[in-house]
Amino acid sequence: MAPTKKKTSSKAKASNNSNNSGKTDGAKKVDATPMEYLLGYHLLSCNNDTNNNNNNNNNNNPNNWMKPQPTSKLLPQSQTPPLVAIYFASQTDPACRDFTPLLNRLYQAGVKLKKQQQQSNTKSNSPQKGGSSVLQVIYQGNETTFDDFQGALRQVDPAWLALPIDGKPAQQRKQALAKEFHVKELPALVIVCGATGQVISLTGVSQVRDAAAATATNDDKNTADSAYQTLLQTWLATEPQPAERVWDEIKRLEASETYTMRGFVVSLVRNTMVGFLLTLAMQYITQQLRKSS
């Protein structure tokens, strides 16, 4: 007698298909893109109807951000900009409020740089991809209330994306990202490669501030924007590396600077002591000469 073939219920089939597809946030997706692996499978976008890369909606209504969308839709692997900036901030913090406009301007400089690249690619018949800017900003909010988070979204460029903050998984991902990128204070800006998710810069805030300082005394807007574009081009030319390797290099440079400063201080103290002793010696010699005369 042939063995009876065990029937699989439609519910079990659906469960198996769901597990194999890897579409849920709770399980690791086997074929996850670098951005999904880094940021999770859902992001918030100001434009809920179309791909964010083609977003021309300037109505930055926080209510437009509340529906999570698949990361694979907002940042498809073939269209992810070469630079992705993860912005750790809280708009209740004065330092973050001061920095956000600079980052908005950097993003717009990225849009201009992308247009220049597209014009160059058109002349050379090269393929064009990567959205409307060479840079995509991902806002990682650290606001303590949902109302504050909504208020923060009014301050950012509507073409940005945001990581959800509501719920335990979102909080766990925020903590994991902060640990991965050694975020110690706000604001913090981490630049990663859109194609691989590896790190290009862990010190984005200081770099953007330096670019802003270079433009502060320049009245010509086009010339002023060139400082931001130069920074973007520097990032584009930097070889991405694992976060720990970048962090180790930062610590090495800090240690070198500390050592150099320590050597300077020791030298200064030594020279000061020598000068002090020479002064005392000269005073003593002068007194002796006066006595002998």
Side-chain angles (χ1 to χ4, degrees), residues 35 76 90 123 139 147 193 256 279:
M35 289 299 100
S90 172
K123 293 178 181 178
Y139 183 72
D147 287 341
C193 173
S256 175
T279 301

Side-chain angles (χ1 to χ4, degrees), residues 10-151:
S10 58
K11 184 176 181 180
K13 288 181 179 179
S15 176
N16 289 337
N17 291 338
S18 175
N19 290 336
N20 292 334
S21 67
K23 293 293 184 182
T24 60
D25 282 344
K28 184 178 287 186
K29 187 176 176 183
V30 176
D31 58 345
T33 66
M35 289 299 100
E36 286 177 319
Y37 184 79
L38 182 65
L39 304 171
Y41 300 122
H42 293 90
L43 293 170
L44 303 177
S45 168
C46 188
N47 187 351
N48 285 325
D49 298 322
T50 60
N51 189 297
N52 187 73
N53 289 333
N54 298 318
N55 180 13
N56 293 317
N57 180 15
N58 291 321
N59 181 19
N60 198 7
N61 185 342
N63 293 328
N64 293 345
W65 292 79
M66 294 304 103
K67 183 181 177 183
Q69 297 187 71
T71 303
S72 58
K73 174 187 175 183
L74 297 173
L75 291 173
Q77 194 163 13
S78 62
Q79 292 293 316
T80 301
L83 301 174
V84 174
I86 306 174
Y87 179 36
F88 298 82
S90 172
Q91 296 309 306
T92 59
D93 182 89
C96 297
R97 289 199 300 269
D98 290 341
F99 183 76
T100 297
L102 305 182
L103 194 52
N104 281 329
R105 189 166 179 183
L106 178 73
Y107 177 83
Q108 291 303 321
V111 173
K112 292 182 179 180
L113 183 58
K114 179 66 178 182
K115 289 180 179 178
Q116 294 173 8
Q117 292 179 345
Q118 288 175 333
Q119 292 172 356
S120 176
N121 289 339
T122 300
K123 293 178 181 178
S124 61
N125 295 322
S126 300
Q128 300 177 12
K129 64 178 183 178
S132 59
S133 175
V134 299
L135 176 76
Q136 177 61 64
V137 182
I138 312 292
Y139 183 72
Q140 173 60 81
N142 283 262
E143 288 76 18
T144 56
T145 69
F146 198 70
D147 287 341
D148 286 340
F149 180 61
Q150 285 186 308

Side-chain angles (χ1 to χ4, degrees), residues 67-250:
K67 183 181 177 183
Q69 297 187 71
T71 303
S72 58
K73 174 187 175 183
L74 297 173
L75 291 173
Q77 194 163 13
S78 62
Q79 292 293 316
T80 301
L83 301 174
V84 174
I86 306 174
Y87 179 36
F88 298 82
S90 172
Q91 296 309 306
T92 59
D93 182 89
C96 297
R97 289 199 300 269
D98 290 341
F99 183 76
T100 297
L102 305 182
L103 194 52
N104 281 329
R105 189 166 179 183
L106 178 73
Y107 177 83
Q108 291 303 321
V111 173
K112 292 182 179 180
L113 183 58
K114 179 66 178 182
K115 289 180 179 178
Q116 294 173 8
Q117 292 179 345
Q118 288 175 333
Q119 292 172 356
S120 176
N121 289 339
T122 300
K123 293 178 181 178
S124 61
N125 295 322
S126 300
Q128 300 177 12
K129 64 178 183 178
S132 59
S133 175
V134 299
L135 176 76
Q136 177 61 64
V137 182
I138 312 292
Y139 183 72
Q140 173 60 81
N142 283 262
E143 288 76 18
T144 56
T145 69
F146 198 70
D147 287 341
D148 286 340
F149 180 61
Q150 285 186 308
L153 298 179
R154 295 190 183 96
Q155 309 303 318
V156 306
D157 193 293
W160 290 13
L161 302 175
L163 283 158
I165 67 165
D166 198 20
K168 186 176 180 180
Q171 292 300 314
Q172 289 176 335
R173 180 166 295 279
K174 179 179 73 173
Q175 293 171 4
L177 286 172
K179 182 178 180 180
E180 170 75 10
F181 298 129
H182 299 272
V183 174
K184 305 297 184 183
E185 60 182 16
L186 301 178
L189 186 67
V190 177
I191 311 300
V192 301
C193 173
T196 65
Q198 289 192 315
V199 173
I200 292 174
S201 173
L202 293 175
T203 57
V205 168
S206 61
Q207 290 176 295
V208 173
R209 282 174 174 162
D210 288 344
T215 67
T217 57
N218 209 316
D219 295 331
D220 180 26
K221 192 173 185 303
N222 292 329
T223 304
D225 285 341
S226 67
Y228 290 103
Q229 291 190 8
T230 299
L231 175 58
L232 291 168
Q233 290 169 335
T234 299
W235 286 338
L236 288 169
T238 301
E239 181 181 357
Q241 300 182 64
E244 283 305 316
R245 188 177 300 173
V246 177
W247 179 250
D248 288 344
E249 179 65 13
I250 290 174

